[in-house]
């Protein structure tokens, strides 16, 4: 597949989002008065995947080791700007009001950060004329070829990896110990802005200044409850002595559950 791309500046990608942020970006977003949430998911981790499994390597790089009862897991936490309708930084003329400081993910779109997600123009918000032949080459033979975007994606993955310990600190500081089962959904945590800003600023100091990933052996970051809206998943967790927690439709005061699909009996 070959894809050419030129942004039409239609701003369709600037609406109704949970926008993943780095810790510095989240501090800036909150400081501008925006809303930031934490999304958590956990995957059972019974052994290390082979290096050629790029999808598993991506998950491992952006998650920290933990446990749920007897089950070893890895927990991934996304710090995300959240907004319904237009982004609070979108100007009436569709320009970005923080263009020089816009988040990394805004610079990468419409490309994919996750190496296991295949790039598909039809899954993107961009209008048909953004993909007109003859504009800049984005993908050739199915591979991303735009050098600037490739460098941004590499930077994003590197920051994801070095911020893992900071996210573990952040969860501990905020008393967060629930995560959805990976691929079923996310647990969405919405701490008040002041507490979150303080916790982010404290967590920031656990990020290595040289942005290198620690070579130290990993420690386990707490005992987590795995939340699901599927009774079969909760029963499967109980069978391996993990802490499963069923979540129904009733509102919960300490978190929300964002399901990727229908609940099952
Ligand atoms: S920060 Fe700018 S580029 Fe990113 S979603 Fe908001 S308006 Fe769009
Ligand atoms: S939806 Fe696509 S074409 Fe429109 S502003 Fe976003 S990146 Fe550009």
């Amino acid at each position: 597949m070959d894809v050419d791309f030129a942004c039409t500046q239609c701003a369709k990608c600037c609406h109704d989002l949970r926008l993943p942020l780095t810790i510095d970006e989240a501090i800036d977003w909150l400081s501008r008065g925006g809303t930031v949430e934490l999304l958590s998911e956990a995957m059972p981790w019974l052994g290390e995947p082979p290096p050629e499994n790029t999808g598993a390597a991506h998950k491992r790089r952006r998650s920290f080791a933990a446990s749920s009862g007897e089950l070893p897991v890895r927990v991934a936490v996304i710090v995300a700007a959240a907004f319904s309708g237009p982004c609070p930084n979108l100007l009436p003329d569709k320009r970005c009001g923080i263009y020089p400081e816009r988040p990394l993910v805004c610079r990468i779109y419409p490309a994919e950060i996750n190496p296991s997600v295949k790039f598909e123009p039809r899954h993107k918000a961009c209008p048909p004329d953004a993909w007109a032949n003859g504009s800049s080459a984005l993908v050739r033979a199915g591979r991303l070829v735009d050098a600037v975007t490739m460098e941004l994606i590499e930077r994003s993955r590197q920051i994801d990896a070095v911020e893992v310990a900071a996210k573990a600190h952040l969860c501990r500081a905020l008393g967060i110990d629930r995560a959805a089962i990976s691929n079923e959904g996310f647990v969405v945590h919405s701490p008040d802005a002041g507490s979150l800003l303080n916790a982010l600023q404290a967590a920031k100091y656990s990020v290595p200044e040289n942005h290198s990933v620690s070579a130290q052996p990993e420690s386990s970051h707490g005992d987590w409850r795995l939340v699901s809206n599927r009774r079969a998943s909760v029963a499967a967790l109980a069978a391996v002595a993990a802490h499963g927690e069923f979540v129904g439709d009733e509102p919960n005061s300490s978190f929300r559950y964002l399901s990727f699909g229908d609940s099952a009996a």
Side-chain angles (χ1 to χ4, degrees):
M1 176 180 63
D2 290 353
V3 180
D4 292 348
F5 176 72
C7 177
T8 66
Q9 301 182 349
C10 67
K12 284 187 182 148
C13 60
C14 301
H15 291 73
D16 301 307
L17 291 176
R18 285 195 172 91
L19 198 63
L21 301 174
T22 67
I23 288 177
D24 279 339
E25 289 169 352
I27 290 170
D28 291 346
W29 198 275
L30 280 168
S31 303
R32 288 190 203 99
T35 299
V36 173
E37 297 176 332
L38 305 183
L39 280 61
S40 57
E41 62 171 335
M43 44 239 151
W45 207 263
L46 301 176
E48 294 302 327
E52 62 272 19
N53 186 339
T54 54
H58 180 69
K59 286 182 178 178
R60 192 192 193 292
R61 183 173 49 228
R62 55 194 297 276
S63 60
F64 52 83
S67 61
S68 177
E70 300 293 316
L71 182 68
V73 297
R74 294 192 72 86
V75 178
V77 175
I78 299 171
V79 180
F83 48 89
S84 302
C87 172
N89 299 305
L90 190 62
L91 300 175
D93 63 2
K94 298 184 181 172
R95 284 182 303 123
C96 173
I98 57 164
Y99 190 79
E101 296 93 36
R102 70 197 187 287
L104 206 42
V105 289
C106 301
R107 299 163 195 254
I108 290 169
Y109 194 85
E112 298 289 355
I113 294 173
N114 186 335
S116 59
V117 176
K118 190 166 172 281
F119 177 75
E120 274 293 351
R122 67 197 158 94
H123 294 158
K124 302 295 174 180
C126 310
D129 48 335
W131 312 111
N133 288 341
S135 47
S136 300
L138 183 67
V139 171
R140 287 291 177 269
R143 297 181 73 89
L144 186 67
V145 293
D146 180 77
V148 172
T149 307
M150 288 163 73
E151 191 275 326
L152 290 169
I153 289 172
E154 198 42 51
R155 198 190 322 166
S156 169
R157 290 177 183 163
Q158 177 73 4
I159 292 174
D160 244 7
V162 298
E163 287 191 348
V164 159
K167 289 179 179 176
H169 284 285
L170 194 57
C171 291
R172 193 161 53 242
L174 294 166
I176 291 173
D177 63 357
R178 284 185 178 86
I181 299 171
S182 189
N183 298 326
E184 286 193 0
F186 285 115
V187 170
V188 182
H189 310 271
S190 306
D192 72 82
S195 306
L196 181 54
L197 189 53
N198 287 340
L200 283 164
Q201 281 165 336
K204 182 179 158 152
Y205 293 108
S206 56
V207 177
E209 276 188 21
N210 61 1
H211 274 204
S212 64
V213 180
S214 170
Q216 300 295 319
E218 276 190 298
S219 47
S220 180
H221 294 280
D223 194 24
W224 284 67
R225 279 182 270 185
L226 306 189
V227 178
S228 176
N229 64 346
R230 305 175 191 195
R231 292 197 185 278
S233 297
V234 176
L237 290 168
V240 294
H243 302 312
E245 182 174 322
F246 179 75
V247 63
D249 295 333
E250 66 281 2
N252 188 299
S253 59
S254 60
F255 66 91
R256 277 172 293 136
Y257 185 77
L258 187 66
S259 174
F260 293 164
D262 294 336
S263 60

